[in-house]
Amino acid sequence: MLLWLESPLQSWGADSKFGRRDTLPFPTRSGVLGLLLCALGASGEQKEFLSEMAPLSQTVISCVRTFKRANGELKKRVREPLLMDFHMVGSGYDDKNLWEKFHIPKTSDGKAAVGGGTKITYRYYLQDAVFAVILEIPDTHGEAFSMALKNPVYNIFLGRKNCIPTDFVFQGLFDTNDAAEQMAFTLMQEKNLIEDFRVLEGEHDGDVMTLNDVPIQLGPVKKYRDRRVTVVDS
């Protein structure tokens, strides 16, 4: 299945802490599966679904916009820098209202924090990013997945709820990885994009890294396992 992830802002966190929410330069496995589960309207732990999807591969092709030189040669545009935003967490609540008081940050022992508990959290976003994601899926789920992505039950977004897709996410079901990749290149050509890098499952020639982004349980208590990926520059 080919997914097209295009938006003014995207954010794909892998190991972010409360006060600082970083983003990887490409979509995570957990982020892509989370998007799919939103489309399906599936909530809760989803252990069976995640166990079925865990061994299947995900290839990410990062696309970058181009410009044409005087001699007709296509060159990559310089990528936009990361955008840093900040949020005030815990401010503006009425501590006399029991429900609002629940949202005010407390100390580790549950007591009121000095100064009211208001915190600033820093959030990072990719700007003007475009990705083609080739996701291996079970044959029996193709129709359900495609229908859900065309008519999602819950809103789908690219990492965070303020990262809204600006093109159709679902771009087709294909018999082979090569066929899906060819469709991705067709879309790239239509949009004056070229490949910048790709992220492959496993260890290959390139920048090998370990990510803790394969979900095995969602819901209130989330659990993940590691996977090895390789970033290959074009």
Side-chain angles (χ1 to χ4, degrees):
M1 180 168 66
L2 176 63
L3 307 179
W4 188 259
L5 309 182
E6 181 175 357
S7 176
L9 296 176
Q10 299 186 40
S11 189
W12 306 99
D15 59 356
S16 299
K17 305 302 180 186
F18 176 79
R20 179 185 173 94
R21 306 294 179 86
D22 291 321
T23 177
L24 289 172
F26 53 82
T28 58
R29 178 78 167 174
S30 55
V32 171
L33 292 181
L35 181 153
L36 185 54
L37 286 168
C38 281
L40 291 165
S43 57
E45 293 183 344
Q46 293 297 320
K47 288 183 179 179
E48 184 177 343
F49 172 83
L50 295 173
S51 176
E52 189 175 14
M53 294 297 294
L56 303 179
S57 70
Q58 173 179 300
T59 300
V60 175
I61 301 174
S62 175
C63 312
V64 66
R65 304 196 184 278
T66 62
F67 68 95
K68 189 174 290 188
R69 285 185 163 180
N71 62 2
E73 180 185 7
L74 282 180
K75 297 294 290 183
K76 296 179 183 179
R77 288 191 180 277
V78 176
R79 282 191 169 276
E80 294 291 334
L82 286 180
L83 174 70
M84 185 187 75
D85 193 10
F86 71 90
H87 291 244
M88 299 292 290
V89 177
S91 62
Y93 293 108
D94 181 1
D95 62 2
K96 295 181 177 58
N97 181 296
L98 290 179
W99 175 247
E100 291 193 24
K101 186 177 181 179
F102 176 76
H103 293 79
I104 301 174
K106 309 294 190 302
T107 62
S108 59
D109 56 2
K111 296 180 180 178
V114 176
T118 299
K119 303 292 182 184
I120 296 178
T121 65
Y122 297 87
R123 323 253 172 146
Y124 292 84
Y125 298 88
L126 304 174
Q127 297 192 78
D128 198 26
V130 184
F131 302 99
V133 177
I134 301 172
L135 184 65
E136 186 182 6
I137 62 172
D139 292 337
T140 53
H141 293 351
E143 184 176 354
F145 287 176
S146 62
M147 289 296 295
L149 289 166
K150 292 175 185 176
N151 302 279
V153 177
Y154 303 140
N155 292 334
I156 57 178
F157 42 86
L158 307 186
R160 292 207 187 107
K161 290 183 179 180
N162 61 334
C163 302
I164 309 301
T166 54
D167 201 344
F168 295 112
V169 170
F170 177 73
Q171 292 292 339
L173 298 172
F174 302 88
D175 293 330
T176 66
N177 188 87
D178 289 342
E181 189 173 310
Q182 185 56 51
M183 181 60 188
F185 286 135
T186 298
L187 291 169
M188 290 163 61
Q189 187 174 29
E190 291 174 356
K191 294 171 175 282
N192 294 319
L193 301 167
I194 58 175
E195 181 178 339
D196 187 23
F197 64 86
R198 65 176 58 198
V199 185
L200 305 175
E201 298 273 2
E203 298 186 16
H204 307 271
D205 291 334
D207 185 10
V208 179
M209 57 196 303
T210 301
L211 299 176
N212 184 240
D213 73 339
V214 180
I216 57 177
Q217 177 179 306
L218 298 176
V221 180
K222 297 177 175 60
K223 297 180 181 179
Y224 300 87
R225 70 166 175 81
D226 292 346
R227 68 177 177 131
R228 297 280 276 176
V229 301
T230 304
V231 180
V232 182
D233 290 328
S234 297

